[in-house]
Amino acid sequence: MALLSFGNVALLALGYLIWCVVYQIVYYRFFHPLSQFPGSFWASVTRLWIAYHNIKGDEVAVLQKLHKKYGPVVRITPTMLHVNDATKLPVIYSRNANKSQHYVTGSFGKEESVFNMQDAAVHARFRRIVAAPYSFSNVKKMEPLIDEQIQNWIDKLDEQFACTGDKFDLAPWAVYMAYDVISSIGFGAPFGFIEQGRDVGGLIKGFHDGLVPFGVMARLYPFTKLVKRTFLGKYLVASPEQESGIGALMRFRDRLIEKRLKDIDAGTTNGRIDILQTFLEARDDNGKPLPLDYIKAEILLVLIAGADTTGTAFLAVMQHILAHPSVFDKVLAEIDAATRQGRLPAPGTIPAYDQVLAHCPYYIACVREAMRVTPAAPTIFPRLAPHPGGLVLYGKHVPAGTELTCNPWLVHRDTRVYGPDADVFLPERWLDDGPEKAAEYARYNMAFGYGARVCLGKDIAYMELFKAPLHFLRSFRLTVLNEQRPARYLVKGGVSYFEDMWVTIERRAPVV
Ligand code: HEM
């Protein structure tokens, strides 16, 4: 009887807990195969270390410091290595590399999209099916839809701010444009961010609010998986019933899909070419339509992956150009010269993608350089070392199944590739270092991810970024209200965004 007293049971439980903690520390620090790799003590024994730095927002800075101290490979969780050598990207992100369980959070709902499918073979099968609407030839067809939203945006800014002289925060306004572009090419109609001049339905705020929980859930995945099996799971898995930002996005998506299905029944889709229609018309390898729940997951991904990221990239381009007066002058001189020579259309018309690419190399270099120095997703993207055999890094064996990751922020600052000024925003490097070096910069670029899982919306994003900031700069003369610090750059859960880019604008005189 005495043996089973409450005190003894509690002692037993405490003893067991202490044994688990001691085992975790001793095994992972001294006996685990990754114990041969350097890093912080706490990182080697618990995932709480990286979750803590992710919440604190200094994950990248801490990793950078560790690499300075220990070299190109450091251990950042008990089972994960971080590599800052850009030339190792093709090895780590090889075609058959599976994603790790870091991706299974439930933050985007129950159903998986191509983004969080872990198995490389399963992903390859689905990616083949859903890739068509993202192909460059399809994006070219969408160019007029993208132009329409950019022009609406410019007109609205003109009416609301250029004509009045009122100051405004460019940060949310850039994201408004990106949301309306995505909804226009994704579903055939803009959400109405530009027209209403506000965060419709709180989607942007909701998305930003969800970033920290998303980052933490991904980093603590064994714990996340465990909780998802309990009654608390419903709070971790996003659903349309939730009041969260993702819940709002899901409801919005469901309404759009419902309406589209009705249009299809009524025969009133009028030959649409948007992404939703392409998914609804897609067939799997057996000629069957894709399950509706799966289409919903892919459409949600378009909303989540495509708007905020592009808005951030737009603002990164602006921030760097504005912070460097010589770059600003050079960009405008190039645009104006191309306009005078008739290589770009008159300022009232948005230049075609091909025109910008052919006649504004310096501007294009600014876009590439801004995305190099300030990537929209400065976070970890873990893959598993291949089965069987694993791989070898700097002479050390990395066992199969080990999590390996790079981070765009850090590989883009690799002095082995970019030289001692890797930290500096220098668009000239893309032009003056010669075509071979530029090809090398492109080869080791991770702004859109890497390898077989590289961003499907890359061409859509480039289409927007090659046009919208350029058209904005040639349309308005800009005054930044806080020249010392044009904007605040925040990283939450591994995703970055800008706030407080206050400016005034006036219409630019036509180029003669
Ligand atoms: C500047 C804008 C963008 C950036 C920086 C960006 C970044 C990324 C990154 C880093 C990944 C890879 C994630 C990983 O390896 O786990 C990714 C994947 C993806 N992105 Fe983007 N993205 C952008 C715009 C877009 C747009 C506009 C869309 C769609 C309209 C989109 C759709 C996707 C999809 C579907 C995937 C998953 C691809 C796959 O796993 O096969 N993205 N994106």
Side-chain angles (χ1 to χ4, degrees):
M1 279 299 273
L3 269 178
L4 284 178
S5 73
F6 176 77
N8 282 352
V9 172
L11 264 178
L12 218 64
L14 184 69
Y16 177 69
L17 199 71
I18 292 172
W19 186 84
C20 287
V21 171
V22 172
Y23 173 83
Q24 170 90 7
I25 293 176
V26 173
Y27 171 68
Y28 281 103
R29 185 65 194 182
F30 301 106
F31 298 103
H32 189 274
L34 296 192
S35 55
Q36 55 171 326
F37 290 96
S40 126
F41 168 80
W42 289 110
S44 69
V45 298
T46 172
R47 285 185 179 81
L48 289 171
W49 177 85
I50 194 152
Y52 166 73
H53 288 293
N54 188 259
I55 295 171
K56 207 171 156 215
D58 67 354
E59 186 177 292
V60 172
V62 169
L63 296 186
Q64 198 166 24
K65 237 191 231 164
L66 286 176
H67 281 293
K68 262 199 189 121
K69 188 165 172 192
Y70 295 117
V73 187
V74 293
R75 190 180 187 189
I76 61 168
T77 80
T79 56
M80 196 188 299
L81 298 176
H82 185 277
V83 180
N84 77 344
D85 177 351
T87 65
K88 294 286 185 277
L89 281 165
V91 178
I92 294 169
Y93 294 88
S94 67
R95 203 155 54 88
N96 296 325
N98 290 332
K99 281 190 165 180
S100 87
Q101 294 187 56
H102 175 87
Y103 285 86
V104 186
T105 68
S107 294
F108 302 163
K110 251 194 342 238
E111 194 73 28
E112 285 190 331
S113 66
V114 278
F115 172 75
N116 46 12
M117 287 169 183
Q118 291 158 76
D119 186 89
V122 173
H123 168 264
R125 192 153 55 81
F126 278 91
R127 179 148 167 147
R128 244 196 341 268
I129 296 169
V130 299
Y134 298 104
S135 68
F136 185 66
S137 55
N138 205 50
V139 174
K140 284 289 280 175
K141 284 189 210 152
M142 296 171 179
E143 189 166 0
L145 296 176
I146 296 176
D147 284 358
E148 190 186 346
Q149 293 315 314
I150 297 175
Q151 193 57 54
N152 285 347
W153 186 67
I154 294 286
D155 292 345
K156 188 74 176 177
L157 295 181
D158 185 46
E159 173 200 315
Q160 209 158 320
F161 305 113
C163 291
T164 61
D166 288 351
K167 67 172 186 177
F168 71 103
D169 184 358
L170 182 60
W173 273 91
V175 184
Y176 296 166
M177 194 239 359
Y179 264 96
D180 274 359
V181 167
I182 281 303
S183 45
S184 180
I185 61 178
F187 319 111
F191 285 142
F193 281 74
I194 298 172
E195 195 191 306
Q196 298 179 38
R198 68 183 181 92
D199 176 8
V200 178
L203 298 187
I204 300 174
K205 183 178 180 313
F207 177 68
H208 290 171
D209 287 350
L211 290 175
V212 171
F214 168 63
V216 174
M217 273 154 59
R219 279 156 185 80
L220 297 181
Y221 65 76
F223 177 72
T224 309
K225 267 175 75 178
L226 200 78
V227 177
K228 270 167 64 181
R229 285 199 210 110
T230 71
F231 73 100
L232 293 170
K234 63 173 182 268
Y235 299 107
L236 292 192
V237 179
S239 74
E241 289 75 39
Q242 288 169 356
E243 275 313 307
S244 65
I246 302 291
L249 276 172
M250 287 174 147
R251 288 194 292 280
F252 198 90
R253 167 205 66 184
D254 292 349
R255 282 200 299 276
L256 287 166
I257 293 180
E258 207 175 298
K259 168 148 189 333
R260 180 63 56 85
L261 292 176
K262 279 189 188 143
D263 286 351
I264 291 173
D265 279 349
T268 53
T269 50
N270 299 329
R272 280 183 202 278
I273 52 157
D274 58 38
I275 297 177
L276 172 57
Q277 193 65 24
T278 325
F279 285 157
L280 288 167
E281 286 171 12
R283 295 293 176 265
D284 67 14
D285 295 343
N286 302 317
K288 292 209 177 101
L290 304 176
L292 193 58
D293 280 345
Y294 172 65
I295 293 179
K296 286 184 173 183
E298 289 298 345
I299 286 295
L300 186 71
L301 180 61
V302 171
L303 289 175
I304 290 173
D308 216 75
T309 44
T310 313
T312 299
F314 177 118
L315 291 159
V317 174
M318 293 304 299
Q319 196 211 23
H320 286 295
I321 291 180
L322 294 175
H324 297 84
S326 62
V327 174
F328 181 86
D329 292 346
K330 226 164 143 178
V331 165
L332 274 183
E334 180 183 73
I335 296 170
D336 289 348
T339 308
R340 271 189 215 101
Q341 292 156 5
R343 294 169 196 268
L344 293 186
T349 307
I350 299 180
Y353 174 90
D354 295 336
Q355 291 172 319
V356 179
L357 203 59
H359 305 302
C360 300
Y362 189 69
Y363 170 75
I364 297 288
C366 287
V367 175
R368 297 198 196 286
E369 184 69 349
M371 293 190 74
R372 180 186 76 83
V373 179
T374 314
T379 191
I380 54 174
F381 294 106
R383 301 292 187 268
L384 299 181
H387 275 284
L391 49 83
V392 175
L393 280 177
Y394 295 97
K396 286 183 184 169
H397 179 240
V398 177
T402 299
E403 289 178 285
L404 284 163
T405 186
C406 296
N407 178 319
W409 182 282
L410 295 168
V411 288
H412 290 177
R413 282 168 169 72
D414 185 352
T415 49
R416 279 164 288 239
V417 174
Y418 299 98
D421 58 4
D423 242 344
V424 181
F425 175 79
L426 198 64
E428 284 77 6
R429 76 173 82 242
W430 292 86
L431 305 169
D432 300 348
D433 295 358
E436 267 177 35
K437 203 63 190 162
E440 189 186 338
Y441 298 154
R443 188 160 62 247
Y444 296 129
N445 193 282
M446 204 194 174
F448 288 101
Y450 207 85
R453 317 296 293 248
V454 76
C455 176
L456 269 167
K458 189 174 165 181
D459 290 327
I460 297 174
Y462 272 141
M463 176 74 77
E464 278 180 68
L465 294 169
F466 287 180
K467 287 162 172 270
L470 181 147
H471 198 50
F472 177 71
L473 285 169
R474 76 198 299 232
S475 302
F476 301 113
R477 188 178 305 284
L478 198 76
T479 308
V480 181
L481 298 187
N482 185 351
E483 274 184 25
Q484 304 305 317
R485 198 182 184 209
R488 275 191 319 135
Y489 175 73
L490 294 111
V491 181
K492 297 237 169 105
V495 176
S496 66
Y497 61 94
F498 285 89
E499 279 182 356
D500 289 332
M501 194 182 274
W502 288 90
V503 297
T504 57
I505 51 172
E506 52 188 296
R507 234 179 261 171
R508 270 187 96 216
V511 174
V512 282

